[in-house]
Amino acid sequence: MTDIVELSNEKLNVEDVSKSVTLPNCGAVSLFIGTTRDHFDGKEVLSLQYEAYHTMAKKKMFEICQDIRNKWNVGKIALVHRLGEVPVAEASVIIAISSEHRKESLEAVQYAINTLKAVVPIWKKELYRNSSPEWKENTEYFWKKEGCCNFKML
């Protein structure tokens, strides 16, 4: 089965992503939609900006799909991430996974978003109304968990 892995500069369409994983033999489609919120740490957020190392990001996203297939019996998988500027209330990431029963797709979606944030080279900058933009570090990054390196965001 072909997995869908996309990096897009265009506005993401939740219905299209959901339909892309729907199969007649699957009774569940689970979705995670990550959106830009209007605040962080007491600051008003205007938008997020995402950048990626495209080749490596897609490679890692396909590896996540394979990991999911090794752990759960799922139908189709879609991992779609927006790049560029993402205004408040718009989706920056959509993960959709179908399975015969809900348990597998729900567990797989949670694994997918946590792993994506930990290993895929996509970076986020928050733009604020009354302060300087900030590059944000995901707390899930693998080197933080494994303690392998001392990286600092500049």
Side-chain angles (χ1 to χ4, degrees):
M1 189 144 319
T2 304
D3 297 319
I4 300 160
V5 166
E6 293 178 9
L7 298 171
S8 174
N9 287 308
E10 303 299 319
K11 185 175 180 178
L12 303 183
N13 185 308
V14 175
E15 185 175 352
D16 287 348
V17 176
S18 178
K19 284 181 182 179
S20 74
V21 302
T22 301
L23 294 169
N25 64 329
C26 290
V29 172
S30 296
L31 293 166
F32 172 81
I33 307 160
T35 60
T36 302
R37 63 179 172 264
D38 65 359
H39 68 282
F40 179 79
D41 202 23
K43 298 180 221 172
E44 183 180 355
V45 174
L46 300 175
S47 64
L48 301 177
Q49 286 185 342
Y50 289 92
E51 294 181 14
Y53 175 12
H54 287 253
T55 305
M56 183 60 72
K58 289 184 97 171
K59 179 179 184 245
K60 290 294 187 186
M61 291 165 80
F62 276 116
E63 287 174 9
I64 292 168
C65 293
Q66 188 56 54
D67 288 347
I68 288 168
R69 294 195 176 285
N70 291 338
K71 295 175 189 289
W72 294 279
N73 183 19
V74 298
K76 290 181 100 176
I77 301 169
L79 305 178
V80 182
H81 206 295
R82 187 165 170 185
L83 301 177
E85 188 166 354
V86 182
V88 169
E90 288 190 14
S92 55
V93 61
I94 301 173
I95 297 173
I97 302 176
S98 59
S99 63
E100 189 172 351
H101 302 286
R102 69 181 172 270
K103 184 178 188 292
E104 291 87 0
S105 62
L106 287 168
E107 289 175 357
V109 164
Q110 183 173 4
Y111 174 84
I113 188 59
N114 291 343
T115 306
L116 185 144
K117 289 184 146 289
V119 303
V120 178
I122 297 174
W123 302 280
K124 172 176 74 175
K125 181 172 28 174
E126 288 187 348
L127 302 169
Y128 305 110
R129 179 168 305 283
N130 295 317
S131 59
S132 299
E134 291 180 23
W135 286 101
K136 305 306 283 189
E137 182 175 349
N138 286 325
T139 58
E140 297 91 345
Y141 283 146
F142 73 92
W143 57 77
K144 288 186 120 188
K145 285 187 175 183
E146 296 176 4
C148 72
C149 308
N150 291 319
F151 286 96
K152 283 189 168 182
M153 297 295 287
L154 300 177

